[in-house]
Each structure stands twice: as structure tokens, then as C-alpha cells.
Amino acid sequence: MQSQEFRPTPEQIPGQQLEYPGKQSDMTPQPDSDLSNYRPANKLKGKVALITGGDSGIGRAVAIAFAMEGADVAILYNENDEDARTTCAEVEKREQSCLTIKADVRDFASCQQAVEQVINKFGKLNILVNNAAYQMVQEKFEDVSIEQFRRTMETNVFGYFYMAKAALPHLNSGDVIINTGSIVGKIGKGFLVDYGASKGAVHTFTKSLALNLAERNIRVNAVVPGPVWTPNIPATMPEKMVENFDTDPAMKRTGQPEELAPAYVFLAAQDSSFITGALIDVTGGQLSS
């Protein structure tokens, strides 16, 4: 837990490298994702949410925030059983039900089965959060392999399409889809060429799907994070990049998962009933224009 007045400065983040995909419990310092600074207001009471990449980082913080707001939560994750159990325990600590689903969003049948599990347990689905993502830093473009490019696109673009397609038959008027974009998808990064391209696609997918589903009153929006201290950072970047991470935003520090979660709550709740097709930047002042 970190107070709102104190967040780690880049100088307080030591160089480190974790084997991909990285466990949140192995990070130094620990990401702030327990929502101890958050004050809920019953905004999602009775709702059911499915969050991909929900085992750690932003996904964990969103799961906890949704539970604090009264939603039951399903988290879909690919590898880290320990992180998934921790997130589920945090949701249940808030007296909401949690379903863990181990699956790969790159496979459409697995996405369909995941949604079916949610429906079988909870009887409905109101909120889909597409958050699972893959990135791997390559400082030279020649080092971005065909296999890496395919994995990035299949996880970050195909996976979002698959989950939306699987969930849509169960979504009704007033339900929502929230995608996780990235400031990299707006401004680019020389060492994240494939990731930046995939997140640019997520932004356009969000806007296009919002237009397509507007007549059904199903809203589609995206949260666009700047640099955030999650397992993806030490697991996909060389140690020299992780040390003193990150000074690019105007606020001169990395964000914490807890600081992203309220944006997802806002887009999931009726408070944002007149917002669709929006890209909500939460970047610490790292601006795209």
C-alpha cells in the first residue's frame, strides 16, 4: 500500500529482469494494486465482469475495484496460477464471487469456452474488459521475429476481437466492453514496433466497434495507459530500461495499477452512459499531441 501523496520515483525502482511472464510477487517495489486508497460507491452492484489478463498488474487492480463496487468477477489468465489465486482471494475478501479461468485468448474456441463458464456460474455477463497483452522489447527492428510479431498481434488484436465476438451474444442494452490500449499506440516507440502497431489497432477497433454497437446501447471504450509498473515491465524489458523506470510522463514517474482502475470503473458504470468510442488517457501527462 502506498499513500496518495507518495508513489515511487524512478530512482526508487532498481534494475531487475524477470523471466517472462513474470510474477507480481517477484517485483521490487511491489506494484500498488490493492485499492487501499479507493473509495467505492456501489456503482456496479449486481453486475458480472470478465477481465482478461486479470491475474496481475492493471487487471488485478480492476478486478479488485469492480468487486469493491459490488460486481462478481471472472479473471482469465494464461500462465501465472499463483498471481491468479492472489487476485481471486482479493476479490473474495471484498465479499464478491470470483471465477478463475486459465485460457489463451489467441484461441477463439478457448474464448468461447471462457464466456460459457462465466454464464454457467453467474447466469449473465455485463462487462467485458479486454486487458490481456503481450510485448517484448527489441531495440533493433531486425530482431522482431515473425514469431514475435504474430504472437503480439494474435494476443493484442485477435484476442480482443475473439473475446468481443464470444461475449456479444450475452451482452444486452446497457452492457459495456472496455479495451486496454496504450499511449505507445498513439505516439509509437522505437523498441516496441509490433506492440505499438497492435495497440494502434486496438484504438481503431474500439472506435469502430462502438459505432457498430451503438444502436444496441452497448458501449465500447478504451483506457489508454502510459507507463505502469506491472510484471510486463521487468519481464519484457532489459534491466537497463527497468532501472529508474519511467521519466517520460510530465509527472516524471511510472503509474501504479491502482491509479488506472478508477477509469475502468467509470467506463463500466452508468456515470459514463453518454460515452462510447472514447480513448481515455491515463498517462501521467505523457501526451500524444
Side-chain angles (χ1 to χ4, degrees), residues 1-4 7 32 34-39 258:
M1 179 184 72
Q2 297 153 359
S3 73
Q4 291 176 310
R7 303 286 183 184
D32 189 2
D34 64 3
L35 276 290
S36 55
N37 297 309
Y38 185 73
R39 299 295 173 261
E258 176 177 274

Side-chain angles (χ1 to χ4, degrees), residues 22-167:
K23 293 181 181 178
Q24 183 158 321
S25 58
D26 292 338
M27 296 172 67
T28 303
Q30 284 288 290
D32 189 2
S33 58
D34 64 3
L35 276 290
S36 55
N37 297 309
Y38 185 73
R39 299 295 173 261
N42 241 12
K43 292 179 181 291
L44 302 177
K45 186 173 178 59
K47 301 290 187 180
V48 173
L50 170 57
I51 304 167
T52 71
D55 55 322
S56 62
I58 294 171
R60 175 183 291 181
V62 172
I64 295 170
F66 281 7
M68 292 174 74
E69 292 290 358
D72 291 322
V73 176
I75 58 169
L76 187 155
Y77 70 103
N78 191 24
E79 294 190 47
N80 277 330
D81 298 324
E82 180 184 336
D83 277 352
R85 285 192 294 268
T86 298
T87 301
C88 202
E90 290 295 325
V91 168
E92 292 171 346
K93 190 185 299 183
R94 275 74 180 185
E95 301 183 348
Q96 296 298 139
S97 296
C98 182
L99 172 66
T100 57
I101 303 169
K102 192 171 186 177
D104 190 337
V105 296
R106 294 176 291 174
D107 178 64
F108 180 52
S110 296
C111 295
Q112 289 179 304
Q113 291 164 13
V115 171
E116 288 169 8
Q117 288 184 57
V118 174
I119 299 301
N120 288 339
K121 180 172 179 63
F122 297 113
K124 61 180 180 178
L125 175 62
N126 306 111
I127 305 160
L128 170 65
V129 177
N130 277 318
N131 175 68
Y134 176 77
Q135 71 171 37
M136 189 62 66
V137 165
Q138 301 293 351
E139 296 186 62
K140 293 177 62 178
F141 176 69
E142 293 89 337
D143 293 334
V144 180
S145 67
I146 301 301
E147 291 74 20
Q148 176 177 317
F149 184 80
R150 181 178 291 114
R151 180 173 183 177
T152 301
M153 292 297 170
E154 287 182 350
T155 304
N156 302 357
V157 182
F158 283 45
Y160 285 29
F161 175 86
Y162 290 160
M163 287 303 306
K165 197 167 185 64

Side-chain angles (χ1 to χ4, degrees), residues 244-267:
N244 301 335
F245 183 82
D246 184 312
T247 59
D248 286 345
M251 297 178 74
K252 300 299 182 186
R253 65 172 177 84
T254 184
Q256 294 294 324
E258 176 177 274
E259 296 178 284
L260 275 291
Y264 290 84
V265 172
F266 172 66
L267 292 175

